[in-house]
Amino acid sequence: MKKTPLDKIRNIGIIAHIDAGKTTTTERVLFYTGRTHKLGEVHEGTATMDWMAQEQERGITITAAATTCAWRDCRINIIDTPGHVDFTVEVERSLKILDGAVVVFCGVGGVEPQSETVWRQADRYGVPRIAYVNKMDRVGADFDEVLKQMHERLGANAAAVQIPYGSEDDFNGMIDLIDQKLYLFSDEAGKTFEIVDIPADYKDKAEKAREAMLERLSDANDYIMDKFLHNQPIAVSEIRNSIRQAVVTGHFVPVFCGSSFKNKGVQPLLDAVCDYLPSPKDVASVKGMNAKEEYEEISVSEEAPFCALCFKVATDPYVGKLSYIRVYSGKLSSGTYAYNATRRQKERIAKIVQMHANKQEIVSDVSCGDIAALVGLKDTKTGDTICDENNFIILEPMKFPEPVISQAIEPKTKADQEKLALALKKLEDEDPSFKVKYDSETGENIISGMGQLHLDIIIDRISREFKVDANIGRPQVAYKETLTKKVTSVGKFVQQSGGRGQYGHVVFEMAPSEESTKGIEFIDKIRGGSIPREFIPAVKKGVLAAAKNGVLAGYPVIDAVVTLVDGSYHDVDSSELAFQMAAGIALSDGLRKGGAVLLEPIMDIEIVVPDEFMGTVIGDLTSKRGKILSVGKRGNVRVLRGNVPLAEMFGYATTLRSITQGRASYTMEPSYYAEVPSHISQKIVMQGAAVKAGAR
């Protein structure tokens, strides 16, 4: 494969709310760049990027699929991500390694809940982006309203660089505000289009939109501001260069429009990807921790030592484990060895493949800026750094959301037991938001995920891919526990058994965390040697182990700060085990004294409902302990936004359909944890005790 210069590589993601048209847009990109020769359709189950059986049946994207194509003189590596909140981890790990993103918005739906989520994720990773308002051919499409919502809901410095020509069924192209030309699409396949002058009846509108664009751009570029304020002419090349600079620095978002399904507007979008989104050379430098535990900047070049991040692990039925990597520096060849710095292990690179959805193209090597998959890595997991053994470096690890829903799973027959364990292990390796644990008290395997759909897909894959029949328990909410006040707790573990005994003694100050930490923060304030330094890691280990099971109903403890302030030891009897046990006793003691409470996941919900059913839907949501935060209007329907406990939402799709004659829809995503009301908390604690008593 001919090597592309680094400044001509674009590593981009297509991100959006569910059903905004990400996969359809990607299909058109592949078709117009010559990567595929037939248009695949999501609704027909023929989309190239939706290759899983579950994706084709449901018409949704479940796993982030990678591909590569060429446009003009650029090579574009694309990751098509899911829009459903249950698979948000796929977006998270993709954005971690991408240089830029195309955010797709529905021309009718506008800025929807998951649009906000992916936008915040892109903000967190500092990913430059351009926006594409899709479905401009649909009834109710409103480009200006979507732009307004981007300003209000996302706080984006966004401006149209194109405006639609025509609307709904009469949408025939777009007016480019930079070149001041009309792109007219009359060919049904969209392969050819005319570039003509702006019609007279659109000139005023285009002039106003161009003024608004330059005004927004001047906020991000002093040169444009100076010329704009002094009414000086600005050359097309100056506008393009300024937009590129502002996009790369994250200060400006150019907005494009089109209809991917009707094959209109994708080629100008591809031009924008090449013109405005950054190459690997343009993005902020990547830093890692070297062997001396000091931050070190990585040189983005092929001559530098090899360094890459494994951002995804997948199982292929033919070649086995695929480890997807983003190469940040240097070069790697197949048949050689690389060093997994995270796990301190050498790994042999059996084969390197360029991915095109689920198809593979063998390549001899990968270098700086590439996204590819490695075959043959045995111990590498998602988030691991692979580097040159002589130039040790660990890149910043990836953070993943905590599961909010759990189910029990068991094999139908004894023969399936081993196969189920193997399947769960492989799926857990693939998906960091999917967790498996064994409950020793009930003798069940508990699987946890981001939502009901997430677990349904996992169970379906266990049956289809791994040929395991399993019995499934009812969904359970992933509750948490925390304390509500500051306390001092003591843990003492003393055992004498004739010979050498065990002695550990710790004193903790425990307090609720001021910020939502999602876990336990351990602080060591031992001074003067009341506990020897070698036992401090054992104390921390004991705290973290005990925090997996709280004192109320055995749920994990979160949002607590545990400070080790004092303790004592015995010259002979003290050991790491004794201090681990003492730490566990002290944590339990602190939770009981600190007024431990149960926390439940609260979901952000958006319901789109016709006017006549709004009162019924609000009443039903209120009965589920929901709170309505806002009521908006979108076309001829109402948009309700609010918060509701996950525990009340099982089977809500059926309920909503029945009370609105099937005319309403909703989307939901995890937002935060809140205290469970006391009368419900008591029931949960009693149920937990009854289950454990029955298991015994």
Side-chain angles (χ1 to χ4, degrees), residues 509-577:
E509 280 181 1
M510 292 173 57
S513 174
E514 288 180 16
E515 292 180 17
S516 191
T517 61
K518 302 294 181 199
I520 296 283
E521 185 184 350
F522 178 79
I523 301 170
D524 167 28
K525 281 196 178 173
I526 288 291
R527 301 288 179 268
S530 55
I531 298 175
R533 302 308 308 164
E534 65 263 28
F535 293 132
I536 303 298
V539 175
K540 183 177 180 180
K541 190 175 176 184
V543 167
L544 297 179
K548 289 177 182 174
N549 300 99
V551 295
L552 291 176
Y555 291 108
V557 181
I558 63 166
D559 297 346
V561 180
V562 178
T563 308
L564 175 61
V565 293
D566 201 3
S568 62
Y569 71 102
H570 190 280
D571 286 335
V572 177
D573 291 350
S574 284
S575 66
E576 289 189 0
L577 176 65

Side-chain angles (χ1 to χ4, degrees), residues 609-683:
V609 57
D611 262 336
E612 62 263 39
F613 299 110
M614 189 174 72
T616 311
V617 169
I618 290 176
D620 179 66
L621 205 62
T622 307
S623 73
K624 297 180 186 300
R625 299 191 283 129
K627 288 180 189 169
I628 301 296
L629 301 178
S630 69
V631 179
K633 202 162 174 60
R634 189 183 294 162
N636 58 353
V637 294
R638 293 284 182 173
V639 181
L640 311 178
R641 298 187 122 192
N643 295 139
V644 62
L646 175 63
E648 305 286 347
M649 297 305 286
F650 293 127
Y652 186 64
T654 309
T655 304
L656 188 65
R657 273 198 297 268
S658 66
I659 63 175
T660 63
Q661 298 173 10
R663 292 173 61 196
S665 62
Y666 80 102
T667 53
M668 195 168 69
E669 61 183 47
S671 180
Y672 61 94
Y673 271 85
E675 187 178 334
V676 179
S678 58
H679 66 285
I680 296 172
S681 177
Q682 286 167 13
K683 279 186 198 171

Side-chain angles (χ1 to χ4, degrees), residues 682-696:
Q682 286 167 13
K683 279 186 198 171
I684 295 164
V685 172
M686 285 166 65
Q687 282 169 3
V691 169
K692 287 176 181 175
R696 292 192 194 99

Side-chain angles (χ1 to χ4, degrees), residues 427-477:
L427 290 167
E428 196 175 18
D429 283 348
E430 280 186 27
D431 185 349
S433 65
F434 172 64
K435 304 285 184 200
V436 182
K437 72 171 185 178
Y438 179 73
D439 190 327
S440 54
E441 297 203 17
T442 61
E444 293 175 321
N445 280 311
I446 307 295
I447 57 174
S448 305
M450 296 306 298
Q452 188 60 59
L453 178 62
H454 186 198
L455 292 186
D456 285 349
I457 297 293
I458 292 282
I459 291 158
D460 193 24
R461 289 187 63 192
I462 288 169
S463 170
R464 288 195 204 201
E465 290 175 35
F466 299 97
K467 307 288 187 284
V468 178
D469 288 328
N471 293 319
I472 311 299
R474 286 182 64 233
Q476 302 290 326
V477 174

